[in-house]
């Protein structure tokens, strides 16, 4: 295991496996997945929506994540709170809608009623629960909320990790001109299932080496100007949009129509930037729009991509055209990426692959693999340990 990797890879004192990817079994193994949920996913921030998506008291969004269902809801006092979407009586799911507005949250099973701040305020047949029953003890279970630049996040468990603002601190100056608090949704959340492990989607997102090979459109738009860097909690990728007109009609039209954006400095007028936050979501920043994308793990080999686009309101015709053309260009990029991640997942089930070397250029992949190994040391093993390993001390 590790010794062999050290001999053959470019290891370091801190991580002898630093020059290697995670082994294939970690992309298909049920026990490894359970460990990831416990040690990586539950203690991480998850992006849910933007403040402007739930502007009024009672507005809510439901967010399902690693087997939990969470309701993010604005209270009568204007504060945003999150709760487990579970009734404190018999454990029934309360809210079914993805989005909505509620005066109160009423459980469909026996009618227990909760206020927007989670307090239990209505219990049919209350005396039947005895004199010791106090509704104060049975409010909805709270889930931690964070807010950064107008976006709202939840975290199932606090393991002492940084806030989203602290994660993004190295890039605060770059983000500031985009006016994130003023963003408004351009449509609804889309959910796209993928038959791959969640890490493959994240690896592919931060993979700079494939851009010139597998995305001819990005190659035409950006030349070889694509860059990747990794900071402690965030990967940043960027690509300048060239002036040289692309041979592709949509790309050429995007280059032509993309208007000057008054609130952006000159060096950001023609720059696409991508931020991937540990461990499983990203924010794509274009001059014309901003979107987020989460890859929500469902099982070792199934993942749901959840995404939505936002923009600072701008009714100019050329801006509308640029936004439409951006969608067309990236629809093609997404189709190419879907093919790539499917290819990798297929390889993870093959006995012909265990681990692969990572180039010095693959800084983001190296960083991610190192963090996973630090949290789950069994990720150093080239082959899956025998069943039951995660229960052993
Ligand atoms: S389970 Fe909700 S009221 Fe009984
Ligand atoms: Fe890609």
């Amino acid at each position: 295991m590790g010794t062999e990797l050290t001999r053959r890879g470019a290891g370091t004192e801190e991580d002898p496996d630093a020059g290697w990817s995670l082994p294939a079994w970690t992309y298909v193994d049920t026990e490894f997945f359970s460990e990831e949920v416990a040690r990586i996913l539950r203690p991480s921030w998850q992006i849910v929506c933007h403040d402007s998506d739930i502007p009024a008291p009672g507005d809510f969004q439901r967010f399902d994540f690693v087997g939990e269902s969470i309701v993010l809801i604005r209270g009568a006092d204007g504060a945003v709170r999150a709760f487990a979407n579970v009734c404190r009586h018999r454990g029934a799911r309360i809210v079914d809608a993805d989005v909505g507005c509620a005066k109160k949250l009423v459980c469909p099973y026996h009618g227990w009623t909760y206020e927007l701040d989670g307090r239990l305020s209505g219990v049919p047949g209350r005396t039947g629960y005895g004199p010791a029953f106090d509704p104060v003890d049975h409010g909805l279970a709270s889930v931690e909320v964070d807010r950064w630049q107008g976006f709202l996040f939840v975290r199932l468990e606090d393991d002492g990790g940084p806030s989203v603002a602290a994660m993004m601190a190295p890039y605060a100056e770059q983000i500031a001109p985009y006016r994130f608090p003023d963003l408004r949704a351009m449509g609804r959340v889309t959910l796209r299932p993928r038959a791959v492990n969640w890490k493959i989607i994240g690896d592919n997102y931060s993979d700079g080496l494939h851009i010139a090979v597998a995305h001819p459109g990005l190659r035409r738009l950006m030349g070889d100007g694509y860059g990747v860097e990794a900071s402690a909690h965030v990967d940043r990728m960027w690509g300048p949009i060239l002036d040289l007109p692309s041979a592709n009609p949509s790309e050429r039209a995007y280059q032509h129509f993309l208007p000057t954006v008054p609130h952006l400095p000159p060096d950001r007028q023609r720059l696409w930037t991508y931020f991937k936050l540990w461990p499983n979501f990203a924010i794509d920043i274009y001059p014309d729009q901003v979107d987020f994308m989460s890859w929500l793990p469902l099982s070792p080999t199934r993942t749901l991509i959840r995404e939505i686009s936002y923009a600072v309101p701008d009714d100019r015709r050329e801006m509308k055209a640029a936004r439409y053309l951006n969608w067309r260009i990236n629809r093609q990029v997404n189709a190419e990426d879907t093919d790539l991640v499917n290819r990798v997942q297929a390889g993870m089930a093959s006995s012909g692959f265990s681990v692969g070397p990572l180039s010095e250029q693959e800084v983001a992949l190296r960083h991610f693999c190192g963090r996973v190994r630090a949290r789950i040391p069994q990720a150093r093993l080239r082959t899956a340990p025998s069943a039951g390993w995660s229960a052993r001390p």
Side-chain angles (χ1 to χ4, degrees):
M1 42 155 286
T3 49
E4 168 131 22
L5 296 185
T6 308
R7 256 199 331 269
R8 297 174 50 195
T12 64
E13 287 278 308
E14 304 78 50
D15 185 354
D17 302 327
W20 295 95
S21 68
L22 297 175
W25 70 273
T26 68
Y27 293 82
V28 294
D29 187 79
T30 304
E31 274 188 74
F32 195 83
F33 182 75
S34 301
E35 292 299 297
E36 289 175 328
V37 169
R39 300 194 217 175
I40 294 174
L41 296 160
R42 290 184 62 96
S44 64
W45 290 112
Q46 299 296 319
I47 191 165
V48 177
C49 64
H50 190 272
D51 248 328
S52 61
D53 293 324
I54 50 169
D59 285 349
F60 67 84
Q61 292 233 350
R62 200 190 84 223
F63 179 71
D64 292 354
F65 179 59
V66 293
E68 303 277 4
S69 183
I70 299 159
V71 179
L72 188 75
I73 189 164
R74 191 175 296 278
D77 58 355
V80 174
R81 299 177 181 84
F83 303 105
N85 184 13
V86 181
C87 180
R88 293 294 303 278
H89 176 219
R90 299 278 297 114
R93 168 75 49 90
I94 301 170
V95 174
D96 293 325
D98 294 333
V99 299
C101 185
K103 287 201 166 51
K104 296 170 189 292
L105 299 177
V106 182
C107 178
Y109 202 171
H110 314 96
W112 282 29
T113 299
Y114 302 89
E115 301 300 308
L116 301 178
D117 61 4
R119 276 179 303 123
L120 177 61
S121 60
V123 179
R126 177 175 162 177
T127 54
Y129 297 92
F133 176 83
D134 186 345
V136 169
D137 300 331
H138 300 275
L140 294 173
S142 286
V143 174
E144 197 180 5
V145 175
D146 195 10
R147 176 188 273 106
W148 170 76
Q149 291 283 319
F151 286 106
L152 294 161
F153 307 81
V154 294
R155 182 165 67 176
L156 290 169
E157 280 167 30
D158 178 2
D159 71 345
S163 66
V164 176
M167 292 170 74
M168 289 297 291
Y171 306 108
E173 269 180 42
Q174 292 184 28
I175 299 285
Y178 290 94
R179 292 174 50 188
F180 277 14
D182 298 331
L183 292 171
R184 297 294 177 267
M186 291 206 294
R188 286 176 162 262
V189 165
T190 60
L191 299 172
R192 295 183 287 134
R194 293 281 181 268
V196 303
N197 182 274
W198 68 280
K199 298 190 296 301
I200 295 179
I201 296 176
D203 289 349
N204 179 64
Y205 188 91
S206 294
D207 182 315
L209 286 186
H210 81 287
I211 302 296
V213 179
H215 293 310
L218 296 183
R219 172 82 183 167
R220 286 187 293 266
L221 283 171
M222 300 171 176
D224 56 7
Y226 199 85
V228 180
E229 68 178 22
S231 65
H233 305 284
V234 177
D235 302 332
R236 181 174 74 107
M237 282 67 65
W238 66 92
I241 302 299
L242 302 176
D243 290 333
L244 180 72
S246 166
N248 170 281
S250 293
E251 296 159 14
R252 194 168 61 245
Y254 179 79
Q255 290 170 305
H256 173 75
F257 282 113
L258 180 62
T260 298
V261 181
H263 54 268
L264 293 181
D267 61 345
R268 305 219 147 246
Q269 293 292 341
R270 302 245 151 183
L271 184 70
W272 288 8
T273 316
Y274 311 85
F275 290 96
K276 181 194 146 191
L277 287 79
W278 168 263
N280 69 318
F281 71 90
I283 300 174
D284 309 324
I285 305 178
Y286 308 99
D288 45 292
Q289 61 187 289
V290 173
D291 53 59
F292 74 70
M293 163 178 159
S294 301
W295 38 104
L296 306 174
L298 301 174
S299 81
T301 54
R302 287 188 307 123
T303 302
L304 192 63
I305 294 178
R306 178 177 187 268
E307 63 186 341
I308 180 168
S309 298
Y310 297 88
V312 175
D314 183 338
D315 285 337
R316 289 178 292 173
R317 281 178 57 198
E318 58 270 35
M319 181 56 94
K320 285 184 181 160
R323 287 172 179 162
Y324 170 73
L325 292 158
N326 178 317
W327 173 79
R328 274 187 72 102
I329 293 165
N330 280 297
R331 184 179 60 166
Q332 175 63 25
V333 173
N334 286 336
E336 290 158 358
D337 279 327
T338 301
D339 175 67
L340 297 171
V341 296
N342 286 336
R343 284 171 187 278
V344 174
Q345 186 67 43
M348 294 301 151
S350 164
S351 59
F353 181 82
S354 55
V355 295
L358 295 174
S359 157
E360 297 280 357
Q361 291 175 273
E362 298 181 86
V363 288
L365 270 70
R366 281 172 169 250
H367 186 68
F368 181 82
C369 294
R371 284 197 77 167
V372 173
R373 284 190 286 261
R375 297 247 169 162
I376 311 177
Q378 289 83 358
R380 299 184 186 284
L381 303 173
R382 285 186 107 163
T383 54
S386 55
W389 63 267
S390 59
R392 293 193 289 270

